Amino acid sequence: MSGFKLVPLSSALGAQVIGLDLKAPISAATALALNEAWNEHVVLLFRGQQLSFEEHIAFSRTFGELDDHASIPSFRHPDHPEVLLVTNYEANGTKLAVGRQWHSDLSTTTRPAKGSMLRCDTLPPVGGDTMFCNMFKAWDGLSPALQSLLDGRRALHDMAISRETQKVRTPEQIADIRRRNPPVWQPIARRHDDTGRRALYVSEMTTVRIEGLHEGESDAILAYLYAHSTVPENVYRHRWQVGDLLLWDNRSAMHIALADYDQNATRIMYRTTLLGEPSGTIAT
């Protein structure tokens, strides 16, 4: 009835959707089946989709309301604010590596991304892969004692602490990033809006500390959580092809863009971002 079939991408997470042409309108029944598949598999892959910006935006709305990326204006498309440029340069032409640490999109806001839909336009000759990890499994794999310590506790997320930001931004630029995106307290065990299932919600790129713990305690536990989340059996590595459209759930997955290619080569992706439900509290 849905008009498509699913092929698993790994044992940890992910499925390829086969049989849909995303240029065509999506029926209500197909949209419902896709949402159910997304909740189950966390990452969905659509191959061979040569979409315009308008078609990319229209299909993304199958899954919810889209962000206009006002919090990160240097990366958004000049004509389509719903589209973010995920490239090794900014919209003004400045070269910049992005996403080189594990993270969940927009965890540093009070309306973190529900999901992201990334379309592959241009690839380097070799490399440019993206990896994903299943944060449902990460939470479920913690000991009951550690779950008890962390459940109901918060962690502080700060966009300005990322390794890339600290390396290439001036103090004035970092101050502007914090002005646009002040640090936010987020739940460490985040409940999924659709399923109610808990997922671990911390990331090495943005998480500063755990609420209520001494600095040394917090640092040690966070380091353990990062390593625990990204063990090989909990990871899917995606090797891109031009025309791939990849949808992932930021509530239940982290991802990292690998620096496994010649940085003089061009890598161009276009992302739409699905707005999530309100979450977190701005730190005061």
Side-chain angles (χ1 to χ4, degrees):
M1 292 293 291
S2 64
F4 63 84
K5 67 177 182 178
L6 297 170
V7 177
L9 295 170
S10 75
S11 61
L13 71 168
Q16 182 177 351
V17 179
I18 297 175
L20 291 182
D21 176 4
L22 302 186
K23 287 180 173 288
I26 299 296
S27 70
T30 298
L32 179 61
L34 285 173
N35 270 285
E36 291 175 350
W38 190 33
N39 284 338
E40 179 180 356
H41 294 282
V42 182
V43 172
L44 295 181
L45 168 64
F46 306 84
R47 290 217 125 126
Q49 305 292 332
Q50 303 298 330
L51 303 181
S52 66
F53 289 117
E54 291 79 8
E55 289 164 342
H56 183 172
I57 292 167
F59 178 64
S60 301
R61 289 195 170 118
T62 302
F63 299 90
E65 183 183 356
L66 299 184
D67 193 356
D68 65 0
H69 302 115
S71 65
I72 38 178
S74 62
F75 288 99
R76 64 178 171 180
H77 192 284
D79 301 319
H80 302 280
E82 303 94 339
V83 175
L84 197 71
L85 302 173
V86 181
T87 71
N88 52 347
Y89 61 87
E90 290 183 311
N92 62 10
T94 302
K95 291 185 76 68
L96 180 68
V98 295
R100 298 290 173 78
Q101 293 173 278
W102 286 101
H103 64 286
S104 175
D105 291 331
L106 303 185
S107 69
T108 54
T109 74
T110 54
R111 198 170 179 188
K114 171 183 177 181
S116 299
M117 188 177 289
L118 191 60
R119 176 164 57 95
C120 180
D121 179 88
T122 304
L123 284 174
V126 177
D129 297 353
T130 304
M131 294 174 70
F132 299 85
C133 65
N134 188 327
M135 300 302 274
F136 286 142
K137 290 181 179 292
W139 176 262
D140 292 343
L142 296 175
S143 68
L146 190 50
Q147 287 180 343
S148 178
L149 173 69
L150 298 176
D151 197 10
R153 202 175 292 269
R154 303 182 300 175
L156 188 65
H157 292 241
D158 183 356
M159 185 180 288
I161 70 160
S162 75
R163 186 168 59 222
E164 295 149 5
T165 297
Q166 293 294 321
K167 277 184 177 181
V168 304
R169 302 297 190 187
T170 66
E172 292 76 17
Q173 289 172 324
I174 291 174
D176 184 62
I177 289 171
R178 280 209 174 96
R179 180 183 60 80
R180 292 177 180 275
N181 303 275
V184 173
W185 290 103
Q186 294 285 5
I188 295 173
R190 185 175 180 187
R191 288 196 176 273
H192 195 276
D193 304 313
D194 295 334
T195 67
R197 189 176 177 186
R198 285 178 298 181
L200 186 61
Y201 197 58
V202 295
S203 72
E204 65 174 353
M205 191 165 88
T206 62
T207 305
V208 179
R209 67 178 184 274
I210 296 173
E211 183 181 35
L213 300 185
H214 295 309
E215 182 178 357
E217 296 170 334
S218 175
D219 289 348
I221 291 173
L222 286 173
Y224 171 77
L225 295 177
Y226 303 152
H228 166 77
S229 301
T230 57
V231 292
E233 58 267 32
N234 197 37
V235 168
Y236 164 62
R237 179 168 179 157
H238 184 65
R239 299 186 183 279
W240 290 96
Q241 297 178 16
V242 172
D244 280 358
L245 188 68
L246 199 67
L247 170 66
W248 66 87
D249 192 328
N250 284 293
R251 300 163 295 184
S252 53
M254 287 195 302
H255 61 285
I256 183 172
L258 300 180
D260 60 344
Y261 63 96
D262 181 351
Q263 297 306 297
N264 292 315
T266 302
R267 182 180 185 270
I268 300 176
M269 309 276 185
Y270 299 114
R271 190 186 96 194
T272 51
T273 309
L274 293 152
L275 282 171
E277 294 299 319
S279 175
T281 305
I282 293 175
T284 55

